[in-house]
Amino acid sequence: MDSALAEFPHTAEHLKTLTRLIGGGGYRGVTDQLETLLGRPPKTVRWALENHPRIRKLATA
């Protein structure tokens, strides 16, 4: 587990599960639930990588 996520084991496990599902083609459901909860469209992973050097560094480690 990444040391940055060590303090958040539930989040780390959730991200690992999503990675497995998406990588295996088993996560195809797209909904507007997050947009409804946020009241705006969610940011994308690409946006996070482009705008947060720490996330970009973790992604390329």
Side-chain angles (χ1 to χ4, degrees):
M1 178 182 330
D2 187 299
S3 61
L5 290 174
E7 295 179 53
F8 309 100
H10 176 78
T11 302
E13 192 59 36
H14 177 69
L15 291 173
K16 286 193 298 189
T17 299
L18 283 176
T19 300
R20 278 194 310 272
L21 287 171
I22 293 168
Y27 191 80
R28 301 175 203 269
V30 176
T31 70
D32 64 351
Q33 290 178 349
L34 186 55
E35 185 170 349
T36 300
L37 288 169
L38 293 172
R40 62 167 175 74
K43 303 291 187 196
T44 63
V45 173
R46 171 173 272 173
W47 181 90
L49 290 169
E50 290 173 348
N51 292 283
H52 295 283
R54 183 168 181 233
I55 294 173
R56 186 171 47 246
K57 181 179 177 185
L58 289 171
T60 59

